[in-house]
Amino acid sequence: MAFRERLEQAIARNQSLLCIGLDPDPERFPEGVTRDARGIVAFNRAIVAATSDLVCAYKPNLAFYLAHGAAGIEALAETRQLVPPEIPVILDAKLSDIASTSAAYAQAVFEALGFDAVTVHPYLGSEALEPFFAYADRGVFVLVRTSNPGAVELQDAPVGEAGDPLYLWLADRVREWNERYGNLGIVAGATYPVDLALIRQRCPDLPILAPGVGAQGGDLEEAVRAGISEGNGPLLVTVSRAILYASRGSDFAQAARDVARRLRDRIERVRAEMQEQATGR
């Protein structure tokens, strides 16, 4: 089953656009969880068990596992296996290199580790990303508008004959690439809702992964209104720290569930309001 189909099924099954980032920071682990690679697995196991009926996807960030060396990579592989098979898992790694290196990256992510999707950066052009695109049953989310404050330094630069900001020019390229491959999506930060809305207008049918709600300050309702498509492009609202570290006590998993449920429900309320407005009821 293709990534897009699995994602849409998870959205419908759990009535959720919430994607939880599994970004383990041992310094913030609750009491009783060891601050090492084994603790990462134990922590992630509890979070997944508490939230898997509330999400459309999970998104581990590679850096938090690489920080622990070989044991961290083992913890990442174990984390991948903790997630129920009906829930897609996206590796947030922002990969890309010359084509031969990208082919090795793609093999590692999709075959060795078994992830359903990955984030990549487009700086080397489509030729460097084609080894990822070639995995037709997996998803590839291309960085277009990142959520960090410094994004404007490069991503607002005018390019092309129309002088569009780089992030919109990139959105057009991703849409064009997807016409050939059919398995692409976009990363567009929830911290820039106006830009997110412009990207959605250009790419109504593409999945958008929207990080930045929660600790980074992105407004949930604004992001959902900006990212919901009049076409059929899914939106994945990514939240990590606000859910993972809702409590440092023994109730951390339940606290994470409570926050995840509130966020899921808030997103669903906005979706319902938008649907009512669209149908004129």
Side-chain angles (χ1 to χ4, degrees):
M1 188 184 299
F3 169 76
R4 175 73 175 263
E5 185 178 358
R6 295 185 64 232
L7 174 63
E8 291 177 346
Q9 288 186 3
I11 290 171
R13 182 186 307 110
N14 289 345
Q15 295 184 311
S16 178
L17 298 180
L18 179 64
C19 172
I20 295 181
L22 296 175
D23 303 347
D25 179 358
E27 295 302 314
R28 302 183 67 177
F29 279 179
E31 297 177 5
V33 179
T34 59
R35 298 182 178 185
D36 56 14
R38 299 316 306 162
I40 287 174
V41 176
F43 180 78
N44 287 347
R45 179 181 289 111
I47 295 294
V48 170
T51 61
S52 62
D53 62 328
L54 299 173
V55 303
C56 65
Y58 288 101
K59 183 181 70 65
N61 188 305
L62 178 62
F64 289 89
Y65 300 85
L66 282 178
H68 297 269
I73 295 301
E74 183 177 346
L76 177 65
E78 288 190 52
T79 294
R80 171 66 190 92
Q81 297 306 314
L82 294 174
V83 178
E86 67 272 14
I87 303 294
V89 187
I90 304 161
L91 181 63
D92 191 359
K94 303 173 181 70
L95 300 172
S96 181
D97 209 314
I98 62 170
S100 59
T101 307
S102 282
Y105 275 139
Q107 182 180 358
V109 171
F110 294 142
E111 297 183 36
L113 293 171
F115 283 96
D116 302 294
V118 68
T119 61
V120 298
H121 73 80
Y123 199 72
L124 279 74
S126 60
E127 167 257 342
L129 297 178
E130 286 173 357
F132 296 97
F133 301 161
Y135 285 80
D137 62 334
R138 309 302 171 97
V140 185
F141 287 89
V142 183
L143 295 180
V144 169
R145 183 50 146 174
T146 57
S147 57
N148 59 304
V152 298
E153 185 175 354
L154 295 180
Q155 295 164 26
D156 279 6
V159 296
E161 293 182 3
D164 282 336
L166 177 60
Y167 72 86
L168 278 183
W169 185 90
L170 281 172
D172 288 341
R173 302 290 82 70
V174 177
R175 187 186 67 245
E176 292 170 1
W177 299 338
N178 189 65
E179 291 173 359
R180 176 178 178 185
Y181 292 97
N183 60 341
L184 279 68
I186 282 173
V187 179
T191 47
Y192 296 96
V194 173
D195 302 345
L196 174 57
L198 292 173
I199 291 167
R200 175 51 86 195
Q201 291 173 13
R202 298 281 182 102
C203 304
D205 299 323
L206 293 186
I208 292 181
L209 182 66
V213 168
Q216 292 188 61
D219 183 273
L220 181 69
E221 282 78 9
E222 286 187 358
V224 174
R225 291 187 181 280
I228 292 289
S229 174
E230 293 184 2
N232 61 357
L235 176 71
L236 292 76
V237 180
T238 299
V239 183
S240 303
R241 286 168 284 181
I243 293 174
L244 300 183
Y245 309 116
S247 171
R248 296 194 67 172
S250 60
D251 65 338
F252 74 95
Q254 182 61 49
R257 176 176 178 81
D258 291 344
V259 173
R261 184 174 55 218
R262 286 196 296 270
L263 290 169
R264 192 277 305 266
D265 291 350
R266 285 173 61 192
I267 293 169
E268 289 306 297
R269 282 196 294 272
V270 177
R271 290 178 72 188
E273 290 171 3
M274 294 180 68
Q275 185 173 12
E276 289 178 2
Q277 292 168 1
T279 57
R281 289 184 293 167

